[in-house]
Amino acid sequence: MTAGSTATRARLNADFLAQLGRYDHVTRLPNRLQFIDHFAAFAQPEQPMMLMLVTLADAEHYNEILRALGMSFSEDLVRAGADLLASLLPADTVLYHVSVLSFIVALPVDAIDTHPEAASRIAAAFAGSIEVNAIPIKTQVGVGLMPVELNRGAAESLRAALVAAQDSRHSPTGMAFYDHKSDTAHLRAFRLLADLPRAIASANELALHYQPRIDLQTGRCHGAEALLRWTHPELGPISPAEFIPLAEQTALITPLTDWVMHNAMQQNRQFLDAGHPLRVSINASPVNLSEEGFDDTLLQRCTALGLEPQHIELEFTEGMLATNSTRAIAQLGNLRRAGVDVALDDFGSGYSNLSYIAHIPADVLKIDQSFVRPLKQAGDDDFLLRHIISIAQGLGFRVCAEGIETDHAFVRLRELGCEEGQGYFMARPMPADRLLDWLDTRH
Ligand code: C2E
Ligand code: MG
Ligand code: MG
């Protein structure tokens, strides 16, 4: 063989491989690379075009199918989806297979206008189930529409169409147009998650504020809740109600809670040294309690700092009970036996299945603000509040009311025999040094 023929064969192989890389191997449809190459042709001022992205299922649902029926079946499902889709589109449309479960087409806008049902027809065709190897499989199709814009490139248009397809899962018509507002929210959520590890590692982005918890009968403060604050260097203050639910969906909740636990306990030692023995409440997420060794770490830190377990309270929400994790229940049991108080946070705002209330592994029920905040003046309805307190106490829990904003709510809760309370009426969350001043002036 001559050197020349070897070179020709190598080139042929390279051409072949390059060509192969432009098709999806499961459906043999042109893939994302081809879509990106062809995109410039869709972006012509004289003919407005609309991208329609169809995604067959969300990743979690697809993984379930993979686990139950295997890879080859899952590929058959994707092929069946592609065939059904192609049969619903005009014959000359090019369907691109852009990711495992997603397909995209570019349609002239007037075609969509003259057939306004194009997208909903697709949504409807996939709405029931599709038959794959004689098995009916439920898909969770998403249909997203995104106009081709001259100044938005291929990759960005693809991403926007995918956002629309995901949004369509919450739309009654089964389809959705790209919505800049919801996309901005996605982008912000992503940015926060991307920046959170840096915040955890940095010395000055995260801080804890403390909100006094008051004994409603004596008016004294025996405890405070540690509440996380994040000041993002560019975005400013971010509410924990925004970033904690995001962190909870990722592994970041582990180092985040660890940061809170570590700092709250050290701070608690300083409160003690300053002559204010407090029980500091730490909010934990369901995931944290399911992590092995969470209880041991907390107790070891107590010992290392010379704190009694009684100086710590752990707050968790009803979501933890829903996870039904035996490890979480066992760890709560261990902590309670060691003397750590456990409180169920936001009671009444979640699952509210009354039959489980007797089995909640907690010492304290914190009644959700939504029951307390409406109590503004004499005569305001407190029927539910009254009975929740009475049931909780009847079952042996101590009760703490959250969101006390008025003198009336404070007095009424005291009359109702509620043991403890928190709220702006008594004190807002504040930095540790301000809490010390506040305690000094009070006692
Ligand atoms: P939460 O644990 O129920 O905390 C009480 C929230 O109510 C706090 O909001 C507090 O500032 C606010 N609050 C207190 N008194 C009043 C009042 O009288 N009126 C009104 N309107 N609000 C009051 P914040 O600090 O924004 O925290 C929101 C939620 O974020 C917390 O609710 C908790 O679920 C979560 N969170 C905060 N810090 C942490 C943390 O370190 N770890 C975890 N896992 N979650 C945290
Ligand atoms: Mg709390
Ligand atoms: Mg709460």
Side-chain angles (χ1 to χ4, degrees):
M1 190 186 295
T2 64
S5 75
T6 313
T8 311
R9 182 176 305 173
R11 199 170 325 116
L12 276 176
N13 278 346
D15 286 349
F16 175 69
L17 286 175
Q19 238 354 74
L20 202 63
R22 292 165 58 78
Y23 287 89
D24 183 88
H25 76 280
V26 174
T27 54
R28 298 172 191 235
L29 289 171
N31 65 9
R32 191 173 52 89
L33 293 180
Q34 289 212 49
F35 171 78
I36 290 173
D37 282 355
H38 297 170
F39 185 76
F42 306 144
Q44 300 297 334
E46 63 278 8
Q47 172 58 72
M49 301 285 275
M50 179 73 78
L51 298 176
M52 179 166 67
L53 188 140
V54 178
T55 175
L56 298 179
D58 69 11
E60 201 176 320
H61 182 54
Y62 186 65
N63 279 338
E64 272 172 26
I65 297 173
L66 262 176
R67 273 200 298 270
L69 300 167
M71 287 186 190
S72 140
F73 183 92
S74 304
E75 290 184 354
D76 289 344
L77 166 67
V78 172
R79 269 189 290 271
D83 290 347
L84 178 55
L85 206 51
S87 74
L88 296 164
L89 290 166
D92 56 349
T93 343
V94 181
L95 186 61
Y96 298 86
H97 188 169
V98 286
S99 74
V100 179
L101 296 170
S102 300
F103 303 87
I104 200 164
V105 286
L107 297 167
V109 165
D110 41 10
I112 289 220
D113 283 348
T114 46
H115 308 286
E117 78 282 15
S120 28
R121 197 174 59 228
I122 289 172
F126 281 90
S129 52
I130 64 171
E131 194 144 305
V132 185
N133 304 338
I135 303 178
I137 296 292
K138 207 162 163 21
T139 59
Q140 290 174 331
V141 81
V143 183
L145 293 167
M146 167 71 200
V148 175
E149 291 168 6
L150 296 178
N151 53 0
R152 206 188 268 258
E156 180 53 19
S157 300
L158 200 53
R159 190 191 67 77
L162 187 69
V163 168
Q166 283 173 354
D167 285 352
S168 76
R169 297 225 167 86
H170 310 290
S171 137
T173 58
M175 53 176 260
F177 280 88
Y178 170 72
D179 171 4
H180 181 68
K181 238 175 50 218
S182 111
D183 190 26
T184 311
H186 286 296
L187 286 171
R188 180 175 160 96
F190 183 76
R191 165 127 199 237
L192 293 182
L193 279 178
D195 290 349
L196 195 51
R198 183 201 60 213
I200 297 171
S202 93
N204 49 16
E205 286 190 40
L206 297 182
L208 288 174
H209 282 195
Y210 295 87
Q211 184 176 38
R213 194 148 123 194
I214 308 294
D215 181 324
L216 294 184
Q217 307 305 321
T218 63
R220 294 185 70 85
C221 170
H222 299 295
E225 175 172 7
L227 293 160
L228 194 52
R229 298 289 175 259
W230 179 12
T231 310
H232 189 285
E234 279 126 37
L235 303 174
I238 318 283
S239 161
E242 180 177 10
F243 71 83
I244 285 178
L246 293 175
E248 279 176 335
Q249 289 167 28
T250 71
L252 286 173
I253 192 64
T254 303
L256 191 63
T257 303
D258 194 64
W259 187 96
V260 172
M261 194 207 279
H262 175 77
N263 285 278
M265 290 176 78
Q266 283 206 325
Q267 189 59 59
N268 197 7
R269 177 71 237 184
Q270 288 166 23
F271 293 145
L272 189 61
D273 294 342
H276 295 291
L278 290 180
R279 179 184 289 136
V280 168
S281 305
I282 296 168
N283 290 281
S285 294
V287 191
N288 300 129
L289 286 154
S290 305
E291 285 160 3
E292 198 173 351
F294 181 85
D295 49 355
D296 291 338
T297 308
L298 193 151
L299 294 172
Q300 279 158 14
R301 284 188 175 154
C302 267
T303 313
L305 288 162
L307 291 172
E308 298 297 327
Q310 287 76 6
H311 289 131
I312 303 294
E313 183 182 78
L314 207 60
E315 294 190 11
F316 69 93
T317 53
E318 288 174 81
M320 204 227 69
L321 300 169
T323 64
N324 211 1
S325 149
T326 35
R327 184 182 285 151
I329 305 284
Q331 301 212 68
L332 284 179
N334 291 343
L335 289 168
R336 292 177 72 200
R337 272 189 296 280
V340 173
D341 261 2
V342 167
L344 180 73
D345 206 356
D346 304 341
F347 179 69
S349 68
Y351 298 86
S352 302
N353 171 356
L354 267 186
S355 65
Y356 83 94
I357 174 173
H359 308 289
I360 295 172
D363 306 281
V364 177
L365 291 195
K366 296 188 81 173
I367 298 184
D368 191 63
Q369 309 189 356
S370 56
F371 298 98
V372 181
R373 281 166 59 192
L375 228 62
K376 292 187 167 54
Q377 57 199 26
D380 282 348
D381 183 25
D382 59 15
F383 178 86
L384 272 177
L385 191 59
R386 210 162 2 115
H387 287 90
I388 291 175
I389 294 173
S390 141
I391 293 174
Q393 291 177 334
L395 288 165
F397 297 105
R398 291 203 317 277
V399 180
C400 175
E402 300 189 275
I404 302 180
E405 291 185 348
T406 59
D407 178 37
H408 169 66
F410 181 89
V411 172
R412 185 70 186 124
L413 283 157
R414 188 167 56 194
E415 281 168 8
L416 293 175
C418 181
E419 284 93 348
E420 290 179 79
Q422 258 173 265
Y424 294 169
F425 174 67
M426 294 90 87
R428 287 183 179 249
M430 55 189 116
D433 50 350
R434 289 240 323 272
L435 178 71
L436 278 174
D437 292 343
W438 185 89
L439 288 165
D440 284 339
T441 53
R442 225 180 136 82
H443 290 291

